[in-house]
Amino acid sequence: MIHLPEGPVRRIVGAIHRRPYLFFGAALILSAGMLFAGRSIELKTKIRDLLPESAASVQAMQVLQERLGSADILVVALMSDDFDAVKPALPKLAAALEAHPDIAEVIYKQDVDLIDRNALTIFPTVDELEDYYEELTETIKEAVKKRMVLLDEPEEEDDGAEDGAYARYTFGWAEHEKDDGLSNLGRTFRRERGAYREYFYNRAYTTIGLEVYPTKSSGDLAFSRHILDVVDARVHETLAAELAPVAEGAPVTRVVIGGGYRNVLQESDQIKDDIASSVGWSFGLLALVVILWFRSIRAFFCVLLPLAMGVSWTVGLVALTVGYLNLITAFIFAVLLGLGIDFGIHFYGRYREERAAGHDPLESVVQTWLSCGEASVLAALTTSAAFLALTIADFRGFSQFGGVAAGGVLLCLLAVFWAFTALVFVFERWVPLKLMGYSVDRTVGEGIDRRRFPLGGRVLVVAVLVGIAGFVSAGQVEFEMNFNRLGQKQKEKLEYQEITYGTTQATSPAVIFADSAEEARAIYQQLEERTAGDARHPRIKSYEALFALIPEQQAEKRRWIKKICRKLGRKVKLFEGDPRDGADELLRHCDPVDFGVADLPDWVKSRFSDKDGKLGEFIFVSPRGSTNDGRVALAFRDEMLSLKGLDGEPPVVSGKPMIWADVLIAMKTDGLETTVASLLTVVVLLLFFERSLGGTLMILLPLSLALGLTGGIMALFDIKLTFFNMLALPTIIGMGVDDGVHLYHRHKELGPDSARYVVRTTGMAAVLTTITTSIGFGSLLLANHYGLNGLGLLSMIGMGAALFVTLVVLPAAMQWVDDRRREGSSPTPG
């Protein structure tokens, strides 16, 4: 067991007692300095920031950055009622933006002449063209036959007649839903041709846009904010010079900027708002609870000010070590308010108890340090150790949270020893403590009121059985595979997202990198072999490479196109309305030419070029199914890893599914390892300090049963594990041990039959610490984020279970032990 030496304690407390203003002022200055240092902390909100640099998906993203540059873009949408009036200004806008050193490229128009001319050789296959020709022949024959029946005239005389008495047949794309040659060709043409647009219109066709490619990644929030301001200012200046100022009735009525850079800023601002809201609500509720519980404004200052200092020191620690916060650790300060307040509550409660027992302020603080301080040090060490065990994880979401929480808990305890003591003496100099009717069942030199705790062995047996049942049912708890339930709650698109929607392609395919064009062809061939056949591939939806844009069998395709166009051209007057529009559309593509890679538009070649100008050394591939489905991500990752390059090794694959898959794998492996490590660390520390197996088991009782109850509740209500709420486990471990340490040590200090008194005094402090810690985690329920909500909920469930066991089962166990010892020491009847 930890023992604070009485001599040094009395000297330190005496020094603070003599100069409380000096010590408190020094604590304030340190807090201000740490907060100032914290201004440099960065906020990283991307999921990949939770993974280590060694993760395959993170390294693949670095390859993407090195070879292709940033995949993020800015979308500038110009709202207008007259696109023709705006189009001449687009080149000037592009030039003005490209003149800025932070903008690498601006695209406002795509040359689609080659694609339009050769659409029938690019999009359909030879088989589709052949089927289409046969279907066209049969359709024309049927139309002519029906007309002959109706008009009793030969085909030659009726060719091209337009009296409308015949049946109408459609060649408009999307008119035929059945599976025939005409429909297949139409669907293929519409689907593939839609990806190649001359101008960038939004889905609602209310804006015309530009794609802006900045020189730096959107991960740099300061740069993202800067580039948004630059683009907005230059667009308005150029429009005013070339057309007219942006206003109602002008050619451009509004400028809306969207894309990845603005999305990242919006997410960052949302997180900052959530942090401010969580910290604000947490601190406010904690203050209210402390004031109401102790019925004293003095308690607010003595408990909350040292807590605020401890949190501010943690801010400085983060700034001086890690330097940034990720999506999870961004909320650590709201959580730390709930964790760190425990020490102040125990100290203030014990100090008040000592004053009520008749000690003077100096002796009351000394006794608080010697008794409550010893238990607090052990509790802080075990809680910090539980969090520190998380640092062994490669997954940064765990390791960084664990490191910050461990350091923060210790700093909050240090702030209590330092600032709480100074504050108590400052208050006692000005306004001596008034107990306001508070009393305890003991006085200086006398014992406590010893009455037996009403519960005993039977309750202990039932609780253990329930805990075992909980552990068994916890095996049914599953991992959350739907990542939509882990992100922000915002379901509807924001206004700027609605306006810019459809301006650019919404999909972000994965990228397979090859070391040469030859290797890219070999990998592409593997993809073709896997997706061959009529059945849809379960994991691969589509893939695209530069060389695949050059159609094969061009001569054969042109032969069929010539036959189709010759036949359709002679009989086109058979059709009216939509059928005639469809036929005319097809006839506009009847003059294809032979072409190769060199003939492709620059914007197409640019899409398949790396920074060094190498063409065709990577492949775009999209998974089948939602990339926010963990099962899809894992299956797609396995599929990609089964591909082989020319050296026999899997190629580098970068993309969102690969990152999600690595997150899931890290969550499963690191989650189990860190939980076991936390438990083992706590057990070893307790054995080391307690030097008693019985005492260690007694302290671990609330923790063990709380974990079992929590697992049972999760299974009962189908609460799934995520990389957010898994962080609740070390919290439950820490809290379960914390309250158990305080109650056990108080019972050990007071002796047999003190369990009831301990529950009434130290137990009430445990109730308050659980409430306050729950407030810290409960503030996460206010965040606009499903994952953080889950962390807050599971932490509250676990802490509630730990409190129940601590106040009901642990005292029953202590009373049962007292009864057994009493029976063992009773004289045997002779």
Side-chain angles (χ1 to χ4, degrees), residues 21-52:
Y21 297 104
L22 175 64
F23 280 90
F24 186 70
L28 280 177
I29 293 172
L30 177 61
S31 301
M34 288 298 201
L35 286 176
F36 182 80
R39 296 173 59 192
S40 64
I41 295 176
E42 296 181 29
L43 179 61
K44 298 184 178 182
T45 62
K46 294 187 177 181
I47 293 296
R48 68 170 178 260
D49 295 322
L50 300 176
L51 292 169

Side-chain angles (χ1 to χ4, degrees), residues 554-582:
Q554 291 189 49
E556 180 68 8
K557 286 184 176 181
R558 286 197 301 274
R559 186 174 71 83
W560 282 106
I561 293 169
K562 184 177 181 180
K563 294 175 65 174
I564 290 170
C565 290
R566 185 168 57 244
K567 183 176 287 290
L568 185 59
R570 291 199 306 264
K571 303 295 182 179
V572 69
K573 292 184 179 180
L574 284 171
F575 309 102
E576 293 180 344
D578 289 340
R580 178 60 177 269
D581 293 340

Side-chain angles (χ1 to χ4, degrees), residues 194-392:
Y196 302 96
R197 299 177 295 172
E198 185 175 15
Y199 289 96
F200 303 115
Y201 302 106
N202 67 351
R203 184 63 60 90
Y205 204 66
T206 57
T207 67
I208 187 169
L210 302 90
E211 292 183 349
V212 180
Y213 293 85
T215 56
K216 294 183 181 180
S217 167
S218 63
D220 186 336
L221 295 181
F223 176 81
S224 296
R225 203 172 300 278
H226 159 72
I227 203 66
L228 279 173
D229 293 339
V230 167
V231 169
D232 185 66
R234 294 214 169 190
V235 167
H236 279 84
E237 290 171 4
T238 306
L239 287 174
E242 297 296 327
L243 296 176
V246 176
E248 289 295 331
V252 176
T253 59
R254 186 179 176 189
V255 176
V256 179
I257 301 178
Y261 290 83
R262 185 165 182 184
N263 291 340
V264 167
L265 284 178
Q266 187 274 327
E267 292 172 4
S268 173
D269 290 342
Q270 178 66 64
I271 290 174
K272 289 178 181 178
D273 288 344
D274 286 343
I275 292 173
S277 174
S278 298
V279 171
W281 277 102
S282 180
F283 194 86
L285 288 174
L286 289 174
L288 180 63
V289 169
V290 168
I291 291 172
L292 293 178
W293 187 274
F294 290 109
R295 293 179 293 175
S296 168
I297 297 296
R298 180 196 304 252
F300 166 79
F301 291 102
C302 289
V303 174
L304 271 299
L305 279 184
L307 172 64
M309 290 180 181
V311 173
S312 68
W313 299 351
T314 307
V315 171
L317 177 67
V318 172
L320 297 174
T321 54
V322 184
Y324 75 93
L325 296 173
N326 60 43
L327 182 60
I328 299 176
T329 51
F331 291 83
I332 186 64
F333 303 114
V335 172
L336 198 57
L337 286 173
L339 288 172
I341 198 174
D342 295 1
F343 307 119
I345 288 173
H346 281 294
F347 266 62
Y348 188 81
R350 185 57 186 270
Y351 173 76
R352 188 175 64 155
E353 181 183 339
E354 294 297 333
R355 293 285 281 125
H359 288 298
D360 61 35
L362 178 58
E363 185 62 24
S364 294
V365 173
V366 169
Q367 292 302 318
T368 298
W369 275 49
L370 291 174
S371 55
C372 186
E374 291 178 350
S376 294
V377 169
L378 180 55
L381 288 176
T382 52
T383 301
S384 296
F387 282 115
L388 200 61
L390 294 177
T391 59
I392 67 172

